[in-house]
Each structure stands twice: as C-alpha cells, then as structure tokens.
Amino acid sequence: MSYPQRTAALVSAAALAGSAVLLAAPAAHADVVDVNYHCKTPIGDKSAVSPIDIKGVKSGNRYTITMSWQKGVSSSPVELGKGAMKPSATINLGGADRGTLPVTGPANAAAIPANTPIKISDLSGTYTPEKTGKVTFTPGTLTIKALGTTTTCTPTNSPKPSLTLDVTAAGGSSSSSSSSSGGSGGQLPQTGPEDSAVALGTLGGTVLLAGAAGALWLTRRNQAARR
C-alpha cells in the first residue's frame, strides 16, 4: 500500500471510530411536565398545577432519582414554622419495569407564611433496575405532613413521563441503546436532554482529529526518511 493510501485509510478508520462512539452511547431524555394536582387538605379540597422535573444519576448499578417542583402546591391557613412541613411523593415506573418509587426530602428550611403556596423541596430516592430495557418515570402522589395533619395531592391529568432511561438489571447484560436514556456503563450519568450528545460529539471529534494527526505525522516521517 502506498503512503497516500495508508494515510487515507488511517483517517477513514478514525472517522468510523468516532461515528461508532456516537452511535453506541445513547442520549438521556428528560422533560418538565405539568401536573394538575387535586389535594385533599384538612380544610377542604384544593387544586394546583405545578411543572415537575425528574432527573436520574447513575452510581454503580443504581440510580439516584430526584423529583423537583417548579411551583408551590396547596397552602396552609396558618404559618408553618421552620421544620414543620415534611413532604414525600411517589414516582410511577413504566415500560420495562413496573411499580412505584418512593422519594423523600428534608422538612422546610424556612417558615412558610399563611395562605401562600407551599414550595416543595427536591425529593430523592434510589432506584435499582429489576428489568433490562427502557423505563419511564412519571410523577405520582404527593403527601404533605404538617402540624399533625396530612394533605394528599393526586395527579388528575394523567401526566406523561418526565424521565426515560435505558437500564440494565443488576447482573444482566447491557441494555440496547436508545435516544431517550441515561446512566453510565456506556451511558452517561447526566440526564439532561442534550448533555450526552454534546459530550459524545466532542469525543468523536477528538478521535477523528487524533487519527488525522497521527496519519499526517506518519506521512511526514516516511517522506523525510526517503529523502
């Protein structure tokens, strides 16, 4: 094979390697979804709408799943002092896995004035895949305990999933790649919609540039040797 042909072959191989990396690692998919809550409170029924975001970060064979509220829900006729309100919620699993995931968080760090929307702190839980495949995470029931009372808020609009992950059951084989997944082990821990694609694009470019640089160096060295 001539030196120009060898150079072209090396560059082509590097380009293919970069493309293979881009195709092999899936991007994560997470959406903010509006949830219409119907809340049963000690002073009667109330309704509230809050955008909710669910994210996942992989650690080993588990995921830390975090549920965030962008608006407050329900309210109290009296002020809730610091630490008086304790929230918890459930996330409904769908797709390859089924069931509910409980998520919890800290009590309110500051007093909540009377008759104002109650801002829910981020709630987290640990998810260990029992099945391999694509799993969806959808907001479920919210429970607020305060001053000896319990308020239960249930979604009424059948919200769509906020997060979708391609997961692998513990001890199982790797799951198939998808454009809406997250995690590591060939997947990325971030679950923002574009983070993975950007990172992989950079990696693919690095592979390609490294291959081209190596081919150029090899060609120049051989040309110098023939002189």
Side-chain angles (χ1 to χ4, degrees):
M1 181 183 292
S2 66
Y3 293 118
Q5 290 176 327
R6 184 179 301 172
T7 300
L10 287 171
V11 173
S12 298
L16 290 174
S19 300
V21 172
L22 286 171
L23 294 174
H29 183 77
D31 291 322
V32 176
V33 297
D34 288 333
V35 179
N36 296 341
Y37 280 112
H38 177 75
C39 300
K40 292 188 173 296
T41 80
I43 58 173
D45 292 358
K46 295 181 178 293
S47 297
V49 178
S50 177
I52 290 180
D53 183 23
I54 300 176
K55 294 185 182 298
V57 177
K58 192 172 190 295
S59 177
N61 63 349
R62 298 180 178 183
Y63 291 83
T64 296
I65 306 297
T66 301
M67 188 176 185
S68 303
W69 279 259
Q70 297 188 1
K71 290 184 179 179
V73 298
S74 191
S75 62
S76 171
V78 298
E79 179 179 281
L80 298 178
K82 177 181 178 181
M85 185 272 296
K86 180 70 172 178
S88 62
T90 59
I91 296 175
N92 297 323
L93 306 179
D97 212 346
R98 299 287 176 171
T100 58
L101 173 69
V103 288
T104 59
N108 56 305
I112 302 173
N115 301 312
T116 61
I118 296 175
K119 177 66 172 70
I120 305 300
S121 60
D122 289 354
L123 306 182
S124 298
T126 300
Y127 167 66
T128 302
E130 296 184 359
K131 303 288 184 179
T132 295
K134 185 181 295 184
V135 178
T136 60
F137 298 77
T138 304
T141 300
L142 168 67
T143 301
I144 302 172
K145 294 186 177 182
L147 304 178
T149 67
T150 299
T151 293
T152 302
C153 300
T154 305
T156 60
N157 62 328
S158 299
K160 66 179 183 178
S162 176
L163 174 66
T164 303
L165 297 174
D166 267 354
V167 303
T168 301
S173 59
S174 299
S175 61
S176 59
S177 62
S178 167
S179 62
S180 56
S181 60
S184 61
Q187 300 171 325
L188 298 178
Q190 295 86 359
T191 58
E194 300 177 356
D195 293 345
S196 301
V198 172
L200 287 171
T202 303
L203 178 58
T206 301
V207 171
L208 176 58
L209 290 174
L216 181 59
W217 175 84
L218 179 61
T219 300
R220 287 179 176 175
R221 189 188 70 171
N222 288 327
Q223 288 175 345
R226 289 191 299 172
R227 290 175 186 171

